[in-house]
């Protein structure tokens, strides 16, 4: 099939590359000409395992091209995915300016039937607006369909998530739109849920909100564990084996960050309010998540007593492992809070240092975890990169001025570290 993806961000690039890999002819469009020029040279602006190779392979086979022209893309594609950003406005509302803009541009350039698919995460009823916008701007009486096809891929495992999804959700209003999307996804052999457009839009917001709720739930439990001397990891294991609950997204720690959960929760709370429902549950989820950053800072303060003038070695900047993304990352808030209190910061991350340089000031960026530990009074782990799980702790102990580890993702075994002589402080791992 000839398809185009408007918006070459995270979701757009992965979707485009994967559809090309499945044998389609794909045009990835972006209005940022500099970005398009880089992509044409094979330079991928984000770090995502396997993406660069996938793009190179499909560009080589002439199934994937990059362009800054919506006009060309619309002319040459029967199915057009909209994957532009929907950032948060100050009150949490999703900014849909990009979506409207693209919808207008598609309408102005349509030469025959087109299926326009929302891929970006959008509030319910956006599909209605996209339909109205296209009807308003389309030149002649050209037929079109609008569909919603939310994406559930995770950063860091995006290609695998796209190729092996738990389910594909397709929100449509016509058999033609349904058939086109079903045939596009057929090679994936995954369960397909066909709904109306509004249900599909709500499925996306609800899924992210539910996962965020699981995380905040276990983080709330971690606070009780700390108070009474229980271990939240054991609690999560005991809960997670119940098939109705499931073990995933029950890791207590620094809480969620990234470009999706924080923004989508805000947008869901906002759209619910507009529809006349006060989504208190999600407000609490958000509050617990934000509080988790302060909770970690307070743990450090309690352990060090005086923070001013002390050095904290921070391991991990990205909001989760296997990505260089630091958007809404807990690390940034925690580092700033420590600096506010007068701490000096050494920091190491395998991928995010360049991005962090733009948002962090007066921080010593290190080339490896050991350089970060040198002369520090506290080692703080905020992101659970694999390389942090396998540190040489004898060496770490020698390098630190004081053998204190604050494990913000519960990746270590307290007894093991205590045996070596560390003071271990985890999240909900007992009285700390
Ligand atoms: C999330 C969803 O998982 C995807 O399904 C969705 O497609 C995507 O948002 C999106 O809407 O685009 P992502 O933000 O890439 O994906 O990352 P996740 O792996 O879901 O992690 C989100 C945050 O939750 C991370 O900061 C992670 O550290 C945190 N987390 C996750 C926990 O604190 N505890 C857990 O048990 C699991």
């Amino acid at each position: 099939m000839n398809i185009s993806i408007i918006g070459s961000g995270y979701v757009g690039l992965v979707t485009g590359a994967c559809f090309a890999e499945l044998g389609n002819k794909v045009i990835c469009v972006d209005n940022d000409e500099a970005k398009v020029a880089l992509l044409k040279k094979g330079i991928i602006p984000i770090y995502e395992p396997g993406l660069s190779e996938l793009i190179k392979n499909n560009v080589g086979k002439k199934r994937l091209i990059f362009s800054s022209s919506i006009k060309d893309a619309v002319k040459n594609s029967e199915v057009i995915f909209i994957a532009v950003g929907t950032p948060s406005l100050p009150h949490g509302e999703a900014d849909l300016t990009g979506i409207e803009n693209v919808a207008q541009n598609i309408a102005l350039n349509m030469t025959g039937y087109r299926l326009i698919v929302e891929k970006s995460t959008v509030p319910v009823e956006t599909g209605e607006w996209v339909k109205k916008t296209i009807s308003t701007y389309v030149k002649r009486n050209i037929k079109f369909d609008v569909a919603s096809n939310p994406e559930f891929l995770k950063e860091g495992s995006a290609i695998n998530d796209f190729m092996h999804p738990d389910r594909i959700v397709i929100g449509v209003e016509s058999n033609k739109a349904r058939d086109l999307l079903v045939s596009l996804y057929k090679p994936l052999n995954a369960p397909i849920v066909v709904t109306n457009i509004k249900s599909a839009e709500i499925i996306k917001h609800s899924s992210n909100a539910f996962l965020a709720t699981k995380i905040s739930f276990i983080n709330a439990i971690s606070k009780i564990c700390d108070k009474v001397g229980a271990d939240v990891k054991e609690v999560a294991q005991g809960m997670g084996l119940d098939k109705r609950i499931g073990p995933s997204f029950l890791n207590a720690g620094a809480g969620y960050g990234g470009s999706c959960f924080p923004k989508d929760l805000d947008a869901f709370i906002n759209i619910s309010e507009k529809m006349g429902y006060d989504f208190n549950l999600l407000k609490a989820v958000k509050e617990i998540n934000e509080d988790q950053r302060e909770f970690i800072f307070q743990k450090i303060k309690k352990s060090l007593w005086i923070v001013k003038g002390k050095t904290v070695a921070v391991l991990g900047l990205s909001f989760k492992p296997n990505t260089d993304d630091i958007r809404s990352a807990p690390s940034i808030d925690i580092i700033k809070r420590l600096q506010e209190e007068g701490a000096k910061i050494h920091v190491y991350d395998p991928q995010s240092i360049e991005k962090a340089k733009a948002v962090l000031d007066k921080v010593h960026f290190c080339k490896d975890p050991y350089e970060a530990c040198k002369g520090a009074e506290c080692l703080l782990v905020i992101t659970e990169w694999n390389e942090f799980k396998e540190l040489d702790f004898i060496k770490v102990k020698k390098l630190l001025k004081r053998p204190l580890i604050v494990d913000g993702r519960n990746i270590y075994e307290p007894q093991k570290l205590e045996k070596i002589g560390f003071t271990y402080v985890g999240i909900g791992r007992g009285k700390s």
Side-chain angles (χ1 to χ4, degrees):
M1 226 178 263
N2 289 320
I3 64 176
S4 35
I5 321 277
I6 317 291
S8 298
Y10 222 105
V11 169
L13 276 181
V14 174
T15 307
C18 289
F19 274 138
E21 180 70 13
L22 295 177
N24 301 286
K25 284 200 126 185
V26 181
I27 309 174
C28 277
V29 181
D30 205 285
N31 59 3
D32 179 345
E33 301 210 358
K35 189 196 238 179
V36 172
L38 286 179
L39 286 165
K40 280 183 174 167
K41 282 191 208 151
I43 302 167
I44 317 302
I46 49 171
Y47 171 76
E48 176 65 33
L51 182 61
S52 177
E53 295 79 359
L54 197 70
I55 289 180
K56 265 183 208 134
N57 182 32
N58 283 285
V59 167
K61 290 187 173 146
K62 302 208 176 339
R63 290 193 298 237
L64 178 61
I65 58 169
F66 299 101
S67 165
S68 52
S69 163
I70 291 197
K71 189 175 178 185
D72 288 351
V74 173
K75 192 172 152 210
N76 293 305
S77 319
E78 187 170 21
V79 184
I80 302 156
F81 287 87
I82 305 180
V84 295
T86 52
S88 289
L89 289 167
H91 293 292
E93 190 180 352
D95 182 355
L96 301 174
T97 318
I99 303 264
E100 191 204 26
N101 219 317
V102 170
Q104 278 184 21
N105 260 309
I106 293 172
L108 293 172
N109 291 295
M110 268 165 39
T111 48
Y113 173 86
R114 296 292 181 270
L115 168 60
I116 298 101
V117 189
E118 295 172 349
K119 195 62 160 161
S120 312
T121 301
V122 289
V124 64
E125 295 198 326
T126 303
E128 290 286 310
W129 282 106
V130 170
K131 244 183 349 191
K132 275 188 212 158
T133 305
I134 296 178
S135 303
T136 309
Y137 288 89
V138 75
K139 280 177 198 151
R140 286 168 285 127
N141 197 16
I142 299 171
K143 287 206 163 29
F144 67 92
D145 276 309
V146 168
S148 166
N149 168 224
E151 185 48 62
F152 299 101
L153 59 82
K154 303 182 289 300
E155 291 187 20
S157 57
I159 293 164
N160 189 59
D161 291 345
F162 186 96
M163 292 297 191
H164 306 282
D166 290 345
R167 80 308 203 179
I168 289 156
V169 173
I170 288 174
V172 285
E173 283 179 344
S174 80
N175 290 342
K176 184 166 184 179
R178 181 200 60 205
D179 294 348
L180 275 168
L181 285 171
V182 167
S183 74
L184 197 54
Y185 279 109
K186 203 164 177 230
L188 295 185
N189 239 332
I192 297 185
V193 182
V194 180
T195 68
N196 67 34
I197 295 178
K198 289 178 188 167
S199 300
E201 290 167 336
I202 292 186
I203 287 170
K204 173 67 192 186
H205 262 168
S206 315
S207 300
N208 275 3
F210 189 78
L211 291 169
T213 304
K214 268 187 110 174
I215 298 169
S216 281
F217 184 86
I218 201 68
N219 280 335
I221 299 294
S222 77
K223 298 221 166 103
I224 301 172
C225 289
D226 267 346
K227 288 194 189 302
V228 300
D231 186 339
V232 74
K233 281 191 103 166
E234 293 174 356
V235 174
Q237 190 191 9
M239 288 170 61
L241 284 171
D242 184 328
K243 288 193 183 69
R244 294 168 303 175
I245 298 171
S248 54
F249 283 71
L250 282 183
N251 297 318
Y256 60 79
S259 63
C260 304
F261 286 177
K263 165 179 83 73
D264 294 350
L265 241 75
D266 281 345
F268 204 14
I269 292 168
N270 184 280
I271 191 79
S272 307
E273 224 153 69
K274 271 195 192 149
M275 303 293 167
Y277 178 65
D278 185 359
F279 214 146
N280 270 321
L281 174 65
L282 293 188
K283 289 181 183 166
V285 167
K286 189 180 155 176
E287 202 179 302
I288 292 169
N289 191 59
E290 283 163 5
D291 187 49
Q292 210 63 10
R293 299 167 188 207
E294 178 66 18
F295 182 51
I296 290 183
F297 167 76
Q298 289 299 340
K299 276 178 180 280
I300 298 170
K301 189 166 175 168
K302 205 170 148 195
S303 308
L304 289 178
W305 183 33
I306 306 295
V307 173
K308 194 175 170 190
K310 301 239 167 74
T311 301
V312 178
V314 177
L315 297 189
L317 287 164
S318 53
F319 80 99
K320 65 171 192 174
N322 298 322
T323 173
D324 62 352
D325 198 339
I326 53 164
R327 286 176 288 179
S328 300
S331 62
I332 306 298
D333 282 350
I334 297 171
I335 289 172
K336 286 187 173 165
R337 182 74 178 90
L338 283 162
Q339 286 179 320
E340 220 176 80
E341 197 83 2
K344 291 181 223 148
I345 305 292
H346 290 180
V347 69
Y348 170 71
D349 185 282
Q351 291 294 337
S352 311
I353 287 185
E354 282 316 307
K355 286 197 171 158
K357 281 182 180 165
V359 291
L360 290 177
D361 216 16
K362 297 194 180 117
V363 162
H364 177 58
F365 292 101
C366 303
K367 63 176 190 321
D368 63 37
Y370 302 105
E371 188 193 341
C373 289
K374 205 169 166 201
E377 273 98 349
C378 169
L379 170 58
L380 167 65
V381 177
I382 309 188
T383 317
E384 67 277 32
W385 285 91
N386 271 340
E387 65 173 277
F388 303 156
K389 294 178 185 164
E390 311 294 336
L391 293 177
D392 174 350
F393 285 105
I394 307 289
K395 189 171 167 185
V396 167
K397 190 162 170 265
K398 279 190 195 139
L399 288 167
L400 288 173
K401 238 190 213 168
R402 174 185 179 147
L404 169 66
I405 295 190
V406 177
D407 180 1
R409 292 289 176 183
N410 288 346
I411 58 175
Y412 302 126
E413 278 315 313
Q415 293 83 353
K416 253 193 193 168
L417 292 179
E418 280 160 4
K419 231 177 170 176
I420 305 174
F422 284 101
T423 302
Y424 175 89
V425 179
I427 311 295
R429 309 297 302 273
K431 289 183 176 161
S432 54

